[in-house]
Amino acid sequence: MSMISPPECAPAIHFGTRKMKQYGTSAILVGLAGSMLLLACTPKTPQVAAEDIRIAKLEPLAVSGPDRNVGEVRLVKSSEPDYVPEPVAQALLAQLKQWPKTGTELGDALNTCSTQVAVTQLGGKSACREAMGDDDEAACYKQHGYGRKTVAQALMADHRDLNGDGVKDYIISDRYYCTSLSANQGAVYFVMLSQPKGGYKLAFADWASPVLYAVDAKVDGKAVLVERIAKLDGETTRILNLVDAKYVRKSCLFQDEHGYSPCSL
């Protein structure tokens, strides 16, 4: 059974008044059909919302901690502005088990990283320093529970109220200590939001982009977050809103020398 192919886009056929009289009604119909086909095949330029452009132009709010590239492994003290309390880190690790798609993978990576940090901090005091091979080392680390209770030492955070309840929340990232979390010069980000009855709930978890930050913009009283990805030919900005207790990507903009255009989320 043969299939009828859709008509190809082609320039419309235009007839002058004299030609129309010469060729009659059929020529007029052909001309109208060609003009309508041209209109149907003309590509439409997607529009970018003015509010999205305004948000994309906003500078990051000042973070409560230092630059992410913090250098060598060290003991992070509770008095430091980017400190993540261990109960928050443990809640994050536990809730990753129920996080869709990447949760298990992220949890395993965080466990691996916290173990590496703990062993590095122990130095020569590690009971596994004589273990032979990666498998023996991993078994030894698990046996001694290295890093199990010090997950926060692998993390840092920007502290600010995101959900509008007056309590500071956490935009958490890794400290670039191990490639399990910071592969390919990217970064992993988590958002933990305070809850009415106490504690914190996971609202975002992903290998997001080199940068995730809050800007001076709100939707329904909730802070807007922005992902920023610099590329050779321009810059991609993703805007995240808090919806049903989770931060979700709402829109994507790409900026180059020609201005702003939509991009895929």
Side-chain angles (χ1 to χ4, degrees), residues 138-258:
C140 185
Y141 296 156
K142 185 175 182 180
Q143 177 186 349
H144 291 276
Y146 288 145
R148 189 179 303 165
K149 297 181 179 180
T150 55
V151 176
Q153 287 293 310
L155 301 170
M156 62 189 296
D158 179 26
H159 304 219
R160 65 181 64 255
D161 180 16
L162 299 174
N163 56 7
D165 64 358
V167 180
K168 286 188 175 180
D169 305 299
Y170 295 87
I171 302 175
I172 300 174
S173 57
D174 65 281
R175 288 184 175 271
Y176 269 148
Y177 286 157
C178 56
T179 55
S180 295
L181 289 175
S182 297
N184 300 321
Q185 297 182 345
V188 61
Y189 281 93
F190 311 101
V191 176
M192 295 290 282
L193 298 180
S194 58
Q195 300 301 295
K197 296 183 179 181
Y200 287 82
K201 186 176 181 180
L202 184 62
F204 181 84
D206 200 2
W207 273 283
S209 65
V211 183
L212 175 71
Y213 56 83
V215 295
D216 187 15
K218 293 183 178 180
V219 174
D220 297 330
K222 317 299 183 185
V224 173
L225 301 183
V226 167
E227 288 177 296
R228 184 70 43 87
I229 307 170
K231 299 182 178 181
L232 293 176
D233 56 345
E235 191 171 62
T236 296
T237 300
R238 296 193 188 110
I239 298 173
L240 293 82
N241 289 349
L242 187 59
V243 179
D244 296 332
K246 291 184 180 181
Y247 270 99
V248 296
R249 295 177 174 102
K250 164 189 169 284
S251 55
C252 180
L253 298 79
F254 179 72
Q255 182 187 17
D256 59 13
E257 59 183 1
H258 303 295

Side-chain angles (χ1 to χ4, degrees), residues 20-146:
M20 288 182 181
K21 291 180 180 179
Q22 179 181 343
Y23 292 116
T25 304
S26 60
I28 297 175
L29 293 176
V30 171
L32 288 174
S35 298
M36 292 176 67
L37 182 59
L38 179 62
L39 289 173
C41 294
T42 301
K44 296 180 180 179
T45 303
Q47 297 298 312
V48 178
E51 177 63 8
D52 288 347
I53 294 176
R54 185 188 74 83
I55 291 175
K57 291 180 178 180
L58 293 175
E59 292 294 323
L61 293 175
V63 298
S64 54
D67 184 89
R68 292 195 71 257
N69 194 7
V70 295
E72 297 181 357
V73 174
R74 61 183 179 82
L75 179 64
V76 183
K77 300 178 181 179
S78 60
S79 59
E80 298 184 37
D82 64 346
Y83 177 78
V84 178
E86 189 60 33
V88 175
Q90 292 293 335
L92 163 62
L93 188 60
Q95 292 174 40
L96 280 173
K97 296 176 182 178
Q98 284 78 44
W99 191 258
K101 295 182 180 180
T102 58
T104 300
E105 186 179 3
L106 282 166
D108 291 344
L110 182 53
N111 268 323
T112 299
C113 191
S114 63
T115 298
Q116 292 176 356
V117 171
V119 171
T120 302
Q121 289 176 335
L122 283 170
K125 296 180 181 180
S126 169
C128 303
R129 62 185 182 278
E130 296 182 1
M132 301 296 291
D134 293 341
D135 292 341
D136 287 347
E137 280 189 348
C140 185
Y141 296 156
K142 185 175 182 180
Q143 177 186 349
H144 291 276
Y146 288 145

Side-chain angles (χ1 to χ4, degrees), residues 1-6:
M1 179 177 178
S2 62
M3 300 295 292
I4 300 176
S5 301

